[in-house]
Amino acid sequence: MSTTEQLLTLRRDLHRHPEPAWCEFYTTARIVQELQRIGVDDLYLGEESYAGFEGERTSVPDAEELDTWRSRARAAGADPDIIEQMGEGYTGAVAVLRMGDGPTIGLRTDIDGLEREESTAADHLPAAEGFRSAVEGMMHACGHDAHATFGVGTLAAIKESAFTGTLKVFFQPGEEKGAGGEPMANGGHLDDVDYLYAVHVGLDEPTGTVVPGISEFLAVSGARADFTGVAAHAGGKPEAGRNALLAMSTAIQQLYAIPRHHDGATRVGVGPASGGSASNVVPEEATLNFEVRGASMELHDHMREWATRVIESSAALHGCEVDLRWGGSLPTAPSDEALTQVIDDVATVSGRVGDIQYFDSPDGSEDATFLMREVQETGGLACYLGIGSDSPGGHHTETFDVDEESLGIGVDVLTEAVLETERRQP
Amino acid sequence: MSTTEQLLTLRRDLHRHPEPAWCEFYTTARIVQELQRIGVDDLYLGEESYAGFEGERTSVPDAEELDTWRSRARAAGADPDIIEQMGEGYTGAVAVLRMGDGPTIGLRTDIDGLEREESTAADHLPAAEGFRSAVEGMMHACGHDAHATFGVGTLAAIKESAFTGTLKVFFQPGEEKGAGGEPMANGGHLDDVDYLYAVHVGLDEPTGTVVPGISEFLAVSGARADFTGVAAHAGGKPEAGRNALLAMSTAIQQLYAIPRHHDGATRVGVGPASGGSASNVVPEEATLNFEVRGASMELHDHMREWATRVIESSAALHGCEVDLRWGGSLPTAPSDEALTQVIDDVATVSGRVGDIQYFDSPDGSEDATFLMREVQETGGLACYLGIGSDSPGGHHTETFDVDEESLGIGVDVLTEAVLETERRQP
Amino acid sequence: MSTTEQLLTLRRDLHRHPEPAWCEFYTTARIVQELQRIGVDDLYLGEESYAGFEGERTSVPDAEELDTWRSRARAAGADPDIIEQMGEGYTGAVAVLRMGDGPTIGLRTDIDGLEREESTAADHLPAAEGFRSAVEGMMHACGHDAHATFGVGTLAAIKESAFTGTLKVFFQPGEEKGAGGEPMANGGHLDDVDYLYAVHVGLDEPTGTVVPGISEFLAVSGARADFTGVAAHAGGKPEAGRNALLAMSTAIQQLYAIPRHHDGATRVGVGPASGGSASNVVPEEATLNFEVRGASMELHDHMREWATRVIESSAALHGCEVDLRWGGSLPTAPSDEALTQVIDDVATVSGRVGDIQYFDSPDGSEDATFLMREVQETGGLACYLGIGSDSPGGHHTETFDVDEESLGIGVDVLTEAVLETERRQP
Amino acid sequence: MSTTEQLLTLRRDLHRHPEPAWCEFYTTARIVQELQRIGVDDLYLGEESYAGFEGERTSVPDAEELDTWRSRARAAGADPDIIEQMGEGYTGAVAVLRMGDGPTIGLRTDIDGLEREESTAADHLPAAEGFRSAVEGMMHACGHDAHATFGVGTLAAIKESAFTGTLKVFFQPGEEKGAGGEPMANGGHLDDVDYLYAVHVGLDEPTGTVVPGISEFLAVSGARADFTGVAAHAGGKPEAGRNALLAMSTAIQQLYAIPRHHDGATRVGVGPASGGSASNVVPEEATLNFEVRGASMELHDHMREWATRVIESSAALHGCEVDLRWGGSLPTAPSDEALTQVIDDVATVSGRVGDIQYFDSPDGSEDATFLMREVQETGGLACYLGIGSDSPGGHHTETFDVDEESLGIGVDVLTEAVLETERRQP
């Protein structure tokens, strides 16, 4: 079992080393170190975690960038052998505890950081206590450091419990880019999972609140549009140019102006975007990253179709070419009622939880939905729950933080949920 | 005197090492090496070139970037001592030949490269002949490598001539950013200059054509606008954000929509521009570089005032803040008729020049106008001339090139102009 | 009682004479004629219907336009005395049947047409059968002709029934402009109403379907923005102008780009909009009508605040002035469960209704919410129900139509609802 | 001959009755009345003025609107018989004085008003003196009332002179819409014209200044774009709509953002523009009138091509259709030097002219260029001159006015020009 001290130390260590999709070398190595300390029956690392996935991973950085992150992980003290096992960025891990013939229960936690510069303000706890991000421009601004800690802590607690089934903890990389969910969902390790829990900390709920079953995640697709115009001297021959930056600006304006849909929530997000080389040259190139979301696959498809038209027409309007490439999509997946009820029940018996909240408005997106869908489609049940946590700043902002009190709450609720799920099994 | 071979070698060497404003360490060192070979009476380097300038230089990179360029120059073989003399980016040089009591004649050439990736096409001569830019994303796409060569070649030729006055050649850095002209104009070395020539190669005129006196340069001001919004999760709480990228896109659209002016040419140029961090975060920051131009100071001021309103209102429209900083401005300066006539006359006597062309439509801008104004305001005369040169691509494009035949033409015309100016002196 | 024939004749007659807010002279007179035929105990007309309203009516046309509509009504055969009683556009009526000491039950129907040119297509029933709109640019494109018929038919049916309470039918003008609801809600005639039903036909549901209790109406505010720039000759002195049309276009773009809100549905609608006088004059004036909506008052306020900033900044951006005037707002008002249940129960016992549907996504807005709120705030109950009706075209389109089969269904359901409400009274 | 008093009375009368293209019934009748008083040898009216024109006139209003203007003219006192002769809007006239075998000299004046509401300010002379426009929304805001007066006055003066050639005065309709020039140029009456003068008052020059030969008119093309989208309820089903007004707004923004051309002046003008029916309906239709100009036919064609792309792409971007129809184009036509010299010489001998100015920057456009081209192409000479006139407001603004002192100056200069042209004839 892990002590509270150990969980806190782990979380702070992970917090100092945020890493992007498929670059979670330090994070994975550090988790593995804990798992080895605790002892697990099976531990899948590297390509083993994704053996059954036949698609192509998205958002994989090039070899040079992978190298940079590997070096950084080694320099920070990660085990070189473990890093080696992850090969070309096959980060993350699947840990298995086999404790009897009972049901197989899965727990999915995500582990990646976010491209954001963390606050240096004196009242930002990680800065004050010395565990602020050591990586420039990266930050655990969405609490995945806590998620990984939940996974480790729950596994440790179950190992000490009377649980007689199998527990599989999925430490999933690349959630922020929607990159890790699908490969891990199809990796093969979910095939025998009867019940799956996925968990998120914070969600603008205070410490002591639990959100039992979230179903409102938006389907999302990301895309990249490369606009190509014609360069010309902006002073001497402006009419000879075709302005890729102007095309991109038009596209940004019009993406946000896609009409709302009566049938439910839709979203547009844009960035990073850049273009132009110098103000005296008509911009020849501009690159736009963006995403669209919808509360259902239909809404998502509507947004995607509309956005495609916007991008192509904006390029045409300014006489430019555009290369539009859609990245992976995240589906929607509702939480099953039976597991939602489990969380509702076990949360309230925990002494540290004082409030149960249900959501009814759409929130962000989650590639946990890939894993949930996979389980549901083979007859299993899935549930996404939230563990409230006071934070000075909102998710994805520079002052986001996790109230460390919520670490223990999360482990308690998840541990009880696993045990209760076994008890309620028909 | 320099041989044609030497000039060609010099130009190709400079072409391989394009450097931006205040980073022309290699370029300056290489020019100085030639000047030392030829022998000059005075050579001002580093801060000495700018002794009288009391303003603050614009577009000076930070210490780290200066270091990078210094290192690159040393690695490319530039003399470390000369680099040392340039201190914190005081690149460029003023070379003086004192040959008698005659008039003091100045020649201004600019030496910097442009942020542009050079073509690798097989039919792009620098690529084919192995002197394509060795610096990623930088290119001599406006012929300043030829200009520096003109300066060296003319100085060498005058040294061998019967000239009895003083020749000062100003090797000016940072023309592309409008950064070097004003400091060099006010550096003190123009005080005794009676006649000043400035020269440009190409100008969309073929080899063998000369443009005697150009007066149509547009006044220009560059600016940088940093938009600051509020970050928020683009899926979960889009309304909490204030979108800096959207503000910037609005500004780009509206800058280009500033109405035309009945009184003459105006221009807008934008880039580089960038913003946003990830598509699931409402962009908190965006940065826009842009410029406005006008065929007179009034037109220029009109554009600048209008652009200021556009930037500030675009920020306000999207609930963002903006920090707008205007960089240096370039003035207009007409070529004096007497010197224009000198060029017209000497050009036609050169055996290699077959055509004289005059311009009547506005072209780009030039910080040579600072030097021209300085001379004109103290009673001297100034003239800006063009040396035609066949090129597969337009100025500032990736396939721009200088027909090396024009190197000798330029040196011939300039040398004859210096001699004829002395002859015609009242 | 009215025969089916009479209801159909009435509806078609009203359909031929669509009239805008406060101009429903013909419509009101025609309804009054039916009420007089049937016989009512009290009939409030003209200012009497709005006696208690202390605010100022919105969207009242000027005297000249009122005259035009009055003349048209007279020419179409409306009773001049009744028209006279409506004074300066106090159209609409409140009819009262007093049948005993039972509860007072209200029924609200709206009666105005919409600015839309009706289809002349051969397969558009009103065109084929000769009752297409006789008024150019106006059309009953939202079924208010059917609503008025529901009101008359229900009153007639209740008169013949064993009902022992009081029935008040509110024939409300100006719903499409959100103009009539508030004056009628505060007119004084709702003070003693215990239960209020409001009804809408169509709603994209087929004939035979009933929607028992709709709660999803969006709060809305309309506004008009008058942009004023400076005129100038567009060819000769474009820079002297300040382009009001460009300011308006910017505003339109940016209104649609107001970010979505995570907390629920928001909307933007724009039009009519116009500006400019001739293409050779920089547009001095432009006028924009628009509306914003939200699923709650908070969402509505958010949109309104944001839109205000967009309008003002768009004007500033182009150096224009703007006069922004917000018109009336419509609130939200949920249907009470008890009355919703009444409709659910009586609808299914009607032989002609085969399906009950509930809505869960936001739809348009309704100024019936003013009347519903008024009743609810004084302890009464209110319910908004829908009567399905096949239609070739959607609401507010040129081919919208009401399946006349639904006329009888509506009268049946409403009549039964009144009777059942009395029965269930505690 | 006409007295100064008569000219002033005529000008004020015409000023009170501004009329648009092909509707100048009152104006033409009033001019004819003066011509009859003076006595001319030939007077071509109605279709006779356009006999040789084989194209189709543009901007001809429909029969109903022509009727309205005819009625208005009759009501204002115009001779019904003359109105009758103008048929379906063949307004304008050609008056001929045959005084001998000398050269045939033409004078072209335009006579139409502008869609603009005239100022009612107390310090606006026409308002103060009671000859402000009697026509709502129309105004002589460009001085064509003075032009017609120049034509009448010059003809009267020449009749009293020793001129021995033929004078033809072309009273041309529809200049503001570029509608009258081409039909009159090709009407046949220019075939024998050796020298043609066209004249404009004002031009931002003060009374007493003459501009001898203007060559800087911009070529122009007008267009109308009808955008068609899909209507839908803006609150209930926004996604089902295709927003024609948004498409139009995008087009307006992007038309103004067409890049400037290095080769000379270009222009964009937009208006009137309108769209949408009600703010709760997604706008199905929007109509945009606009124009593009260029200082040469090449620049004009460049703008036209670019604008076409903008219109079509803006429609496509928003899923709309667009019907783009280009109206007539106006060409460029330089003033011939010989006639320019005539004006320069005669202007200075007139006692009332104290200054000669030449223009060098582009101004508006003029369909006089059709007539000038016609004469020049058959070997004749043409010249466009300006007669300065103090005015409180700029051309095309509500406070534009003509200093009546300039009426006499114009007649004097034109009369002298005709006589001097005869004298200088080879």
Side-chain angles (χ1 to χ4, degrees), chain A residues 116 176 235-236 243 245-246 249-250 252-253 256 267 269-275 277-280 283-284 291 293 363 396, chain B residues 116 176 233 235-236 243 245 249-250 252-253 256 267 270-275 277-280 283-284 291 293 363 396:
Chain A
R116 213 173 160 71
E176 295 291 355
N243 196 322
L245 183 56
L246 198 45
S249 295
T250 300
I252 292 174
Q253 296 285 326
Y256 282 104
R267 296 283 185 276
V270 167
S274 63
S277 54
S279 64
N280 58 356
E284 186 179 9
E291 58 170 43
R293 303 188 197 221
D363 209 316
H396 289 208
Chain B
R116 214 176 155 70
E176 294 291 355
H233 192 288
N243 196 323
L245 183 57
S249 296
T250 300
I252 292 174
Q253 296 285 325
Y256 282 104
R267 295 283 185 276
V270 167
S274 64
S277 54
S279 64
N280 58 357
E284 186 179 8
E291 59 170 44
R293 304 188 196 221
D363 209 316
H396 290 207

Side-chain angles (χ1 to χ4, degrees), chain D residues 300-372:
Chain D
H300 163 272
D301 294 350
H302 163 79
M303 292 300 286
R304 185 165 160 158
E305 183 190 339
W306 208 296
T308 299
R309 199 180 65 219
V310 163
I311 296 294
E312 291 172 353
S313 298
S314 296
L317 200 155
H318 294 284
C320 296
E321 303 291 321
V322 67
D323 179 16
L324 173 62
R325 276 162 297 165
W326 287 95
S329 296
L330 307 189
T332 52
S335 286
D336 287 296
E337 217 164 298
L339 298 196
T340 300
Q341 194 55 50
V342 168
I343 300 298
D344 192 314
D345 294 341
V346 305
T348 48
V349 299
S350 156
R352 297 197 271 188
V353 173
D355 193 22
I356 298 287
Q357 285 291 334
Y358 282 88
F359 287 174
D360 61 357
S361 70
D363 210 314
S365 303
E366 250 294 346
D367 65 0
T369 51
F370 278 114
L371 291 90
M372 294 168 72

